[in-house]
Amino acid sequence: MMQQAEIKAIAEQLDHAALNRQPITQWATQGISLSSAQAYAIQREVVAQRVARGNTLLGVKMGFTSRAKMLQMGVSDMILGALTSDMLIEDGAVFNAAGLIHPRVEPEIAFLLKKPLSGDFGLSEVISAVEAVAPALEVIDSRYQNFKFSLADVIADNCSSAGFCLGSWQKPTADLANLGMVMSVNGAAVQIGSSAAILGNPYRSLVAAARLAVAAGTSLLPGSIVLAGAASAAEALIPNSHVRLSTELLGNVEFTVTTDVEQR
Ligand code: OOG
Ligand code: MG
């Protein structure tokens, strides 16, 4: 059994890497092989450090809910991370990415909950727990060198969470199973796909999030935001670029990256 002190020490190194823009070697290649439970315990510490700095918990994000993402990152299971207030990028805002290591951006769908959802729920139950849906762009930034990690490593690193940008909330009346999604950078489409890439229907990601929240030691509450996971592979965030996601029925979301993003 890993001691709480070791869990804290690993979390501190991850937090230090994020704050100082200093990527670290993944634990798996340092001979530290974490169980999923240990990885989530580290994640809770990493998030607690952000909260201790005055940030609030806004919800969760699912990872690896599409085949495209699993293939891109070489992993084969779903993960759950925390979203905090410091990660929020306003729709249409100018986003300074200078503090990030090697940021990437990916197209997502977001849910806003009106009922608590932690545990085992069916599709119709999770649908009735949703207050609103929105198109979303997620910015991820691994604290590991070269964006290389095992599944447990990335869980410990709060699933590479770094930023998220939400479009306008819509009443959840649309069938989300197969909506066109186009992510463009400086006006040119870079990822063209469908919400069907997210487990065949993004609501299934909410079923998985409710289940994983228990394993992660967190809960989904009324008012929580849930990102369903990327519908396509992620794209490197290009310096001085404009990123936009256009979705069928749900509208658009966009931001502009200002400062030079020097990839490490
Ligand atoms: C982990 C985060 C995965 C998604 O949407 O699948 C994720 C990573 O790719 O570094 O956010
Ligand atoms: Mg994502």
Side-chain angles (χ1 to χ4, degrees):
M1 193 51 207
M2 189 175 256
Q3 301 298 311
Q4 187 60 23
E6 288 174 78
I7 287 179
K8 269 205 147 77
I10 291 178
E12 267 160 29
Q13 288 183 64
L14 281 163
D15 194 46
H16 184 270
L19 287 177
N20 296 284
R21 218 175 154 249
Q22 205 108 111
I24 55 179
T25 311
Q26 63 180 108
W27 306 114
T29 57
Q30 290 191 44
I32 302 172
S33 116
L34 304 166
S35 70
S36 163
Q38 289 165 342
Y40 278 112
I42 294 164
Q43 181 190 116
R44 285 195 297 277
E45 282 297 325
V46 165
V47 176
Q49 283 161 339
R50 281 183 180 261
V51 170
R53 286 195 287 272
N55 305 303
T56 52
L57 210 55
L58 295 183
V60 301
K61 55 143 307 164
M62 287 296 289
F64 308 131
T65 50
S66 67
R67 190 145 174 74
K69 278 291 298 188
M70 285 191 190
L71 282 175
Q72 183 181 32
M73 305 316 294
V75 296
S76 57
D77 215 346
M78 289 184 273
I79 57 175
L80 179 133
L83 300 173
T84 51
S85 50
D86 52 322
M87 297 176 188
L88 198 56
I89 303 165
E90 291 298 324
D91 189 14
V94 169
F95 171 59
N96 185 344
L100 301 180
I101 301 164
H102 36 206
R104 297 177 177 177
V105 62
E106 49 192 28
E108 306 229 0
I109 302 271
F111 296 108
L112 179 65
L113 301 185
K114 62 180 176 190
K115 290 184 194 163
L117 267 190
S118 307
D120 289 323
F121 293 91
L123 202 55
S124 59
E125 287 171 299
V126 302
I127 290 174
S128 68
V130 170
E131 169 77 28
V133 294
L137 286 165
E138 188 189 18
V139 175
I140 53 171
D141 189 37
S142 179
R143 270 56 69 165
Y144 301 116
Q145 278 151 11
N146 307 316
F147 243 104
K148 286 272 185 312
F149 43 67
S150 69
L151 201 63
D153 290 336
V154 68
I155 291 169
D157 185 26
N158 193 24
C159 306
S160 308
S161 304
F164 66 103
C165 186
L166 303 173
S168 306
W169 289 113
Q170 315 283 320
K171 289 246 169 302
T173 45
D175 179 355
L176 303 184
N178 187 12
L179 298 180
M181 296 173 73
V182 178
M183 184 168 77
S184 32
V185 175
N186 294 333
V190 289
Q191 290 288 347
I192 302 170
S194 157
S195 59
I198 305 164
L199 296 173
N201 181 342
Y203 278 117
R204 286 210 189 101
S205 174
L206 202 45
V207 172
R211 183 175 46 78
L212 264 181
V214 178
T218 187
S219 18
L220 304 189
L221 302 168
S224 289
I225 294 164
V226 182
L227 288 185
S232 73
E235 293 283 333
L237 211 57
I238 298 170
N240 305 313
S241 62
H242 182 76
V243 186
R244 177 184 170 97
L245 170 66
S246 303
T247 64
E248 200 179 339
L249 301 182
L250 299 180
N252 312 318
V253 55
E254 61 200 311
F255 63 86
T256 303
V257 186
T258 47
T259 316
D260 276 14
V261 188
E262 175 205 335
Q263 301 272 332
R264 285 202 174 173

